[in-house]
Amino acid sequence: MKPAIRVENLSKQYRLGMRGKDQYNTLRESLASAFTAPFRRRSAAPNHSESKDNAFLALKDVSFAVQPGEVVGIIGRNGAGKSTLLKILSRVVEPSSGRAEILGRMGSLLEVGTGFHPELTGRENIYLNGAILGMRRSDIDRKFDEIVAFSEIERYLDTPVKRYSSGMYVRLAFAVAAHLDPEILVIDEVLAVGDQEFQRKCLGKISEISKSARTILFVSHNMSAIQNLCQQVAVLERGQLSYFGPCSKGIEHYVRSCDTSNGAEVDLSQHSRRSAGCVPVFRSMRMLDGSGVTTNHVSCGEPMTIELQTDWSGPPAKVHFWITVSDAAGCRLFTVGTFLAKAGPVNMPGDLVVCRLESVNLAPGRFSLDLFAKPLYATAPTDHIDGAAHFDVLPVDYYGNGRSPERTLGPYLVRSEWDVPN
């Protein structure tokens, strides 16, 4: 079977601080450029020439193929080249070298308002986008009510879209792209603009589309969404394809590439987020997964061990240690500590304090650790570090239902049994 998308040795080079020769300007930009050209020439240094140091490879020799009906996630850090790749595939920009073959009609949602004319109303832009996709007016008429209902902006349908908020733009843009039956759908991280309920609605629609044998390229930093929607993932690092293959292994590859600690201990002796006036007790820490490997990520439900190397400069004392875990928004999720365990306070001085979590029952995401040390009967902690370290929880099939847990359902994972009458 011929691939729906074939990418061969694709590269894209930009020059920092300079307009690329393949960039298309609007009339306004062309007039402004013509007006400012004399001033740019006057301020330019004599014998100025383009330096190779200004060259920036956004993509370098990227090759892969996507079969018809596949849903492929594209993941990577900010600046890895994800959006550049989608713009090339959507024919927004041209590659510097290599080629990309597209077999089928493509619908793209790359950024807020892509393909919309700001002076036209929402109603008119629905028909404009349909025409761009090659749809007949009768087909657009047939889908029109469904598009409007999904977008939930019926009240503003006859208002020029230049007056829309970014959220309204996204609602209408996604509704158009998803309902006008493109054979290939390309979606960038634009859904992050919408509210949580709309994001959930969009992900449900993408899941529905994926079951209709249409090809989807999906860029997202939401690893749970990638895990649930995609069969394959492409991981980009600094413009190069570092992995292309099954989703779960790709997510693990990506998270490992983001692990700046590289398995090393975290130095806490001079930590920048230690509370003022504290005496340093924590010297270093490391996290270990269920296999005893030093890491800063675990899978849903996997055990984790936290080892704390300590220094105690005071007289012998009984000291309580505790750790709080918070989500990315800073909301405290749970606390574990010696005052909650049978072991009780730790006799100091000592070198190593170990905390073992039987199961990290958290939905996929990034979490931070706060550390505390307080002598028994003291009124305040001797040492306290906010955000001492972070760890990632990777999506897995925690419930055994063929899907990874969704963060939108809450941060905690709780297994349950149900008696269902026949």
Side-chain angles (χ1 to χ4, degrees):
M1 183 183 296
K2 191 172 183 180
I5 300 172
R6 185 191 297 277
V7 173
E8 295 179 348
N9 302 318
L10 202 65
S11 296
K12 178 62 181 177
Q13 179 176 287
Y14 293 102
R15 291 199 176 276
L16 301 179
M18 307 180 72
R19 286 189 177 274
K21 294 179 181 179
D22 61 345
Q23 181 171 334
Y24 299 97
N25 298 332
T26 63
L27 176 60
R28 180 174 62 183
E29 290 171 334
S30 298
L31 291 173
S33 179
F35 178 76
T36 59
F39 301 98
R40 292 199 304 271
R41 286 195 295 269
R42 188 178 302 170
S43 62
N47 300 321
H48 175 77
S49 61
E50 294 182 0
S51 170
K52 288 185 177 180
D53 293 339
N54 289 331
F56 168 67
L57 272 174
L59 289 177
K60 182 179 180 182
D61 296 328
V62 173
S63 299
F64 62 89
V66 180
Q67 299 301 320
E70 278 191 333
V71 183
V72 176
I74 301 176
I75 57 179
R77 297 186 183 188
N78 292 331
K82 305 183 298 296
S83 295
T84 299
L85 174 61
L86 294 195
K87 286 179 180 179
I88 292 174
L89 295 178
S90 302
R91 303 293 191 257
V92 175
V93 298
E94 294 180 358
S96 301
S97 61
R99 56 186 295 180
E101 295 180 355
I102 309 295
L103 184 63
R105 187 173 61 244
M106 176 179 284
S108 302
L109 189 58
L110 302 182
E111 57 187 42
V112 176
T114 298
F116 279 9
H117 193 295
E119 299 296 335
L120 299 181
T121 65
R123 183 187 304 273
E124 292 165 336
N125 272 294
I126 291 174
Y127 283 94
L128 174 63
N129 272 256
I132 291 172
L133 285 174
M135 304 288 291
R136 292 177 297 184
R137 185 178 180 89
S138 59
D139 293 330
I140 302 172
D141 288 337
R142 180 169 50 86
K143 292 278 188 177
F144 187 85
D145 290 342
E146 194 176 346
I147 292 171
V148 174
F150 188 94
S151 67
E152 299 176 356
I153 62 162
E154 184 174 5
R155 182 179 177 184
Y156 308 99
L157 197 58
D158 293 307
T159 301
V161 297
K162 67 181 180 182
R163 297 196 176 98
Y164 284 12
S165 67
S166 58
M168 292 166 64
Y169 253 119
V170 169
R171 285 176 178 272
L172 185 59
F174 182 85
V176 171
H179 287 82
L180 288 181
D181 296 328
E183 293 157 322
I184 301 171
L185 183 59
V186 176
I187 306 173
D188 204 343
E189 187 72 84
V190 66
L191 296 184
V193 179
D195 57 50
Q196 190 174 57
E197 182 59 34
F198 183 69
Q199 289 181 38
R200 186 184 305 175
K201 188 176 179 179
C202 290
L203 293 174
K205 185 63 180 177
I206 295 171
S207 179
E208 179 186 325
I209 293 171
S210 69
K211 296 171 184 175
S212 62
R214 279 185 276 174
T215 307
I216 300 175
L217 293 184
F218 181 51
V219 169
S220 179
H221 288 101
N222 183 339
M223 292 300 109
S224 181
I226 291 287
Q227 175 76 35
N228 288 331
L229 294 172
C230 305
Q231 295 101 27
Q232 305 263 80
V233 294
V235 182
L236 291 175
E237 293 183 47
R238 299 181 180 179
Q240 295 182 290
L241 186 69
S242 63
Y243 176 92
F244 187 88
C247 190
S248 296
K249 291 183 179 179
I251 292 174
E252 185 174 350
H253 174 91
Y254 166 61
V255 172
R256 288 187 185 279
S257 73
C258 295
D259 185 354
T260 55
S261 68
N262 293 320
E265 294 184 352
V266 179
D267 184 4
L268 301 175
S269 58
Q270 302 293 328
H271 202 285
S272 62
R273 301 195 66 177
R274 175 173 272 110
S275 294
C278 283
V279 177
V281 174
F282 299 110
R283 184 172 76 235
S284 66
M285 71 167 289
R286 66 172 184 151
M287 290 172 279
L288 300 91
D289 62 17
S291 302
V293 177
T294 304
T295 183
N296 68 354
H297 60 269
V298 294
S299 297
C300 298
E302 185 181 14
M304 182 171 73
T305 299
I306 302 168
E307 294 184 350
L308 301 169
Q309 292 285 345
T310 63
D311 279 326
W312 184 260
S313 57
K318 293 183 179 294
V319 179
H320 275 304
F321 292 85
W322 69 96
I323 301 168
T324 65
V325 176
S326 303
D327 62 15
C331 178
R332 183 172 294 182
L333 300 178
F334 65 84
T335 298
V336 291
T338 53
F339 62 93
L340 299 171
K342 294 180 181 179
V346 178
N347 292 316
M348 299 298 286
D351 292 328
L352 181 65
V353 178
V354 180
C355 172
R356 296 183 179 88
L357 303 179
E358 291 183 0
S359 180
V360 180
N361 297 322
L362 293 172
R366 172 157 289 195
F367 303 90
S368 63
L369 298 173
D370 302 342
L371 304 180
F372 300 83
K374 184 173 80 69
L376 195 64
Y377 308 123
T379 57
T382 298
D383 200 3
H384 169 210
I385 305 177
D386 251 337
H390 71 265
F391 67 96
D392 294 292
V393 176
L394 305 184
V396 294
D397 185 6
Y398 179 84
Y399 293 109
N401 60 359
R403 297 172 62 83
S404 69
E406 295 184 17
R407 181 74 182 178
T408 54
L409 299 179
Y412 301 107
L413 307 180
V414 179
R415 291 189 175 96
S416 60
E417 293 184 2
W418 293 73
D419 292 328
V420 182
N422 294 325

